[in-house]
Amino acid sequence: MSPRIGVALGILAFALLCGCAGYRGHVQGVTFTSHDGIQLAGTLVLPERTPSPVPGVVVLHGAEPATRSFAYRMHANVFLERGMAVLLYDKRGAGESGGDHEAATFADLIEDALAAIRFLRDQPQVDPSRVGLNGASQSGWFTPEIAERAGNIAFVINKVGPCSSFADTVDWEIYNEILDEGANEESARQQVDVIRRIWAYSMAPTPEEKQALDDVLRAWAGRKDSSLPETLKPVSPAFVDRLRYDPTPYLERATTPMLYVYGSEDVNIPTADCVKRLTQLRRAGRPISFHVFEGAGHELGGVGITGYRFVQGYEELLGAFADEHVGRKPKQGF
């Protein structure tokens, strides 16, 4: 290893350690049980020097088999610094939680979140009428449903949360992946159309459509720009379940204050489409707001020499919104 590489790796390790700093509060390891008996492992953190009962926040996950890792911990600290309790937990099938991540449906993840809300509301130090949700990417699809079903949720904050159907959102991500692999825009659009047909077939298979798709995939198989499978592959029941998910009904009757935060350069979530949709919902009287950080991607941050950092202004934006909707006065300057 060259000295230059060694120094670079040392800086990166230091940055990651800084990004993984501890919670700013009193930490308790906890477990709670979801609807199907699966036990979920979490961390309950209570703010320092704040009289009970305090507001609370449940921090939810992205699409990965997420644990209580540093990015989620950093979100927790945003709320802890403002005198709010926070519950984080390892996602179903990840870390110390039970269950199967690959087999988990959105319905399972929603039930897990509802169990987390009930657990947090049952804590004697927490005001059950002032509990909010912090979603991230995947969980942003179903935070509107969670808020409606849980009732009396103080606020929802969604970091890069989708606001249209699963299929309409994921095809944007796939389109950008195909472009990244070297296809031109027209080819990428055509391939996404084929993928959408495969998804439709997965939800309602027929022999005729299988034959038609086999023919289409054979035609694409010899092309250098193709990212499509050469043959139809089985789709898991969990993925079929996700294909059917659409948050629109919950957004159209939302009564919980919601903040969606995006990056203008996100290749996973179609920011422009989300802004258009949320603007329509806001004009229709839904209590929804949004903010776009120019130049930011899906993570809304990254690792530097001082550790992982969100884009400038992100933490202040979240903290001020949460403060406003749990009846606390925001810190000066927010």
Side-chain angles (χ1 to χ4, degrees), residues 254-295:
T255 57
T256 300
M258 298 183 186
L259 170 66
Y260 285 76
V261 188
Y262 297 106
S264 65
E265 306 307 308
D266 197 330
V267 296
N268 301 96
I269 302 295
T271 295
D273 290 347
C274 288
V275 166
K276 181 179 179 180
R277 179 67 180 129
L278 295 175
T279 299
Q280 292 170 342
L281 289 163
R282 186 174 177 84
R283 287 173 178 167
R286 300 304 93 199
I288 295 172
S289 56
F290 58 85
H291 183 89
V292 178
F293 285 98
E294 292 298 325

Side-chain angles (χ1 to χ4, degrees), residues 189-210:
R189 281 192 291 268
Q190 291 174 358
Q191 292 182 67
V192 168
D193 288 343
V194 176
I195 290 169
R196 292 293 293 258
R197 282 187 65 181
I198 293 172
W199 290 347
Y201 167 79
S202 299
M203 291 186 284
T206 65
E208 295 79 12
E209 182 63 358
K210 181 181 185 306

Side-chain angles (χ1 to χ4, degrees), residues 178 181-183 187 191 216-217 219-230:
I178 294 171
E181 290 170 5
S187 173
Q191 292 182 67
V216 170
L217 293 176
W220 275 92
R223 293 180 53 165
K224 292 182 179 180
D225 61 342
S226 177
S227 297
L228 295 170
E230 294 186 1

Side-chain angles (χ1 to χ4, degrees), residues 16 41 70 79 100 114 125 151-152 161 180 191 201 272 274 284-285 293 296 323 333:
L16 290 171
F70 68 93
F79 305 113
D100 182 345
L114 290 169
Q125 308 95 329
N152 200 26
D180 194 52
Q191 292 182 67
Y201 167 79
C274 288
F293 285 98
D323 272 331

Side-chain angles (χ1 to χ4, degrees), residues 151-208:
N152 200 26
I153 292 294
F155 64 85
V156 169
I157 296 173
N158 282 323
K159 174 179 179 276
V160 295
C163 62
S164 57
S165 72
F166 182 91
D168 287 343
T169 302
V170 175
D171 67 6
W172 167 258
E173 183 175 21
I174 291 173
Y175 171 77
N176 283 294
E177 288 174 353
I178 294 171
L179 287 179
D180 194 52
E181 290 170 5
N184 61 38
E185 292 182 0
E186 180 60 26
S187 173
R189 281 192 291 268
Q190 291 174 358
Q191 292 182 67
V192 168
D193 288 343
V194 176
I195 290 169
R196 292 293 293 258
R197 282 187 65 181
I198 293 172
W199 290 347
Y201 167 79
S202 299
M203 291 186 284
T206 65
E208 295 79 12

Side-chain angles (χ1 to χ4, degrees), residues 99-161:
D100 182 345
H101 172 74
E102 294 299 326
T105 63
F106 276 6
D108 290 326
L109 301 179
I110 290 166
E111 293 291 345
D112 293 348
L114 290 169
I117 292 167
R118 288 192 295 270
F119 180 87
L120 185 58
R121 282 175 164 171
D122 285 344
Q123 302 310 302
Q125 308 95 329
V126 174
D127 181 346
S129 69
R130 294 191 293 160
V131 169
L133 292 174
N134 181 197
S137 193
Q138 185 192 75
S139 55
W141 260 304
F142 42 81
T143 48
E145 178 178 350
I146 295 167
E148 179 176 296
R149 291 179 56 188
N152 200 26
I153 292 294
F155 64 85
V156 169
I157 296 173
N158 282 323
K159 174 179 179 276
V160 295

